Amino acid sequence: MSAFRILVIAASSAVVAAWDPDKFKPLVTACEGLETLTNCSAKFEGVCRTHHSGERFCGHAEHEHKGFWSVVHAVKHQIKKKLGGHGKHGMPKLIGDCATKTDGMPCTAERKGRCIPSGKCPVFKGEMVCKPWDAHPPEMITKPCEGKQDGDDCRLTILPGKCSKGKYSDEVVCKAWPFATYTKDTDKDPFVV
């Protein structure tokens, strides 16, 4: 096994181990008892914060990485930067009910979307989830497939892959090893928040 594959597996394992399972729980809760493609609304709880740009939002409380996890966090960001995954990512910053509150006060924010099956996504474990209307795959996996069709060859940095259109989305993404295990017969929609 090449050193690069070992690095990818180690980094992926570290990210999964450090994953906060409660972060996206409202996306699952919003679809409990609902059918596929039903409109939904996920309500997130957090604390009011101010981004360094001055933008106010309702978000998760900041946590400080310590010890081993601070190193993993730093390595993850360096890998993302080298692979072209830097820039805007994650959930959009929603003001929620923070307009009249100060930083640190509890808040709620709502994201509207529609219920879709999460397929093989390890985060949601096959449960139905509320995919927000403004959720899109990151540019690092969509850019290699710009102007291409489902099934065309693509390259994710140095990894060869195939362009793949999701079952519940019109976006075409580049799937490369170790993520290209989907076939036309499976639920292959990439759920990206």
Side-chain angles (χ1 to χ4, degrees), residues 7-8 19 21 25 29 32 46 63 66 69 73 78 81 86 95 127 129 133 143 160 163 166 170 188 192:
L7 178 64
V8 168
W19 191 263
K25 194 170 187 167
T29 306
E32 288 176 347
H63 61 278
K66 296 179 182 177
W69 292 115
H73 188 71
Q78 288 301 316
K81 188 174 182 179
H86 58 283
I95 190 157
E127 294 190 73
V129 294
W133 296 115
K143 194 169 188 170
C163 292
D170 291 330
K188 61 178 181 164
V192 180

Side-chain angles (χ1 to χ4, degrees), residues 27-119:
L27 297 174
V28 174
T29 306
C31 288
E32 288 176 347
L34 298 178
E35 299 290 324
T36 301
L37 303 181
T38 303
N39 287 345
C40 54
S41 182
K43 292 180 177 48
F44 290 86
E45 294 181 357
V47 294
C48 294
R49 294 175 42 197
T50 303
H51 190 262
H52 60 80
S53 67
E55 179 184 15
R56 302 263 305 130
F57 67 100
C58 178
H60 291 281
E62 287 185 325
H63 61 278
E64 183 180 330
H65 298 281
K66 296 179 182 177
F68 171 74
W69 292 115
S70 66
V71 174
V72 170
H73 188 71
V75 169
K76 176 186 82 167
H77 281 288
Q78 288 301 316
I79 291 171
K80 283 175 64 176
K81 188 174 182 179
K82 287 191 186 311
L83 294 176
H86 58 283
K88 186 177 179 183
H89 63 280
M91 286 200 246
K93 292 175 176 40
L94 304 173
I95 190 157
D97 58 0
C98 288
T100 59
K101 295 182 177 181
T102 59
D103 282 4
M105 292 181 74
C107 61
T108 56
E110 180 180 66
R111 293 189 74 195
K112 295 183 182 297
R114 69 177 174 171
C115 296
I116 63 167
S118 62

Side-chain angles (χ1 to χ4, degrees), residues 139 141-149 152-154 163 172-174:
E139 185 177 294
I141 62 172
T142 57
K143 194 169 188 170
C145 290
E146 284 179 357
K148 296 184 179 184
Q149 301 292 320
D152 288 351
D153 289 332
C154 61
C163 292
V172 180
V173 300
C174 184

